[in-house]
Amino acid sequence: EGALIELGDSVRMKFHRPHALSATAVLTLESHHKTEPAVDAIVLMSESCILGPQSQSHIRCRGWADDLVLFRRGDEVQFRTSASVEVDGEATESGATIAGNCRIEGENFALSFEEISS
């Protein structure tokens, strides 16, 4: 927690594990380097990733009222939330599996997932 990772002579990233019950970590750039595409941080997802308004969220979403938790179940990635959301235009109560290209929309947010082929 809080370790500074240095790549070469000038790239510095800080390691942070915001939630005590999750091994997911966040790397933030401490040096003035830019990424392409531009990012605020790099999430190293373990078994779960919490998006929400709390300081212990892996991805802080200050305007949200509820958390959205991404988690692995076998080979699948699923999510759960207490917010009212739609997945690809279909209303869901509490969560669903994220399959292929998928869009999750709530009252004040939208998330898109894209399948990456190797």
Side-chain angles (χ1 to χ4, degrees):
E1 173 60 33
L4 192 62
I5 299 167
E6 295 184 13
L7 303 174
D9 292 332
S10 60
V11 178
R12 292 183 316 281
M13 297 181 284
K14 189 171 189 176
F15 180 91
H16 180 55
R17 215 178 93 202
H19 200 284
L21 300 177
S22 174
T24 295
V26 178
L27 295 175
T28 54
L29 284 168
E30 297 292 308
S31 55
H32 297 289
H33 292 84
K34 304 291 183 207
T35 61
E36 184 62 39
V39 299
D40 293 328
I42 299 162
V43 178
L44 305 173
M45 184 173 160
S46 181
E47 293 300 314
S48 63
C49 181
I50 302 167
L51 291 78
Q54 306 300 322
S55 62
Q56 71 268 18
S57 298
H58 299 106
I59 301 174
R60 188 105 185 255
C61 307
R62 288 180 172 82
W64 291 18
D66 301 292
D67 289 338
L68 185 139
V69 180
L70 300 173
F71 60 96
R72 297 180 197 277
R73 179 161 287 152
D75 291 339
E76 297 180 333
V77 175
Q78 299 181 353
F79 78 92
R80 67 177 176 263
T81 183
S82 59
S84 297
V85 297
E86 292 183 352
V87 178
D88 294 331
E90 301 282 327
T92 183
E93 297 290 326
S94 75
T97 298
I98 298 169
N101 297 327
C102 170
R103 184 171 175 88
I104 303 171
E105 294 184 66
E107 184 177 334
N108 296 318
F109 73 91
L111 300 169
S112 293
F113 294 85
E114 298 177 15
E115 193 168 19
I116 298 174
S117 39
S118 51

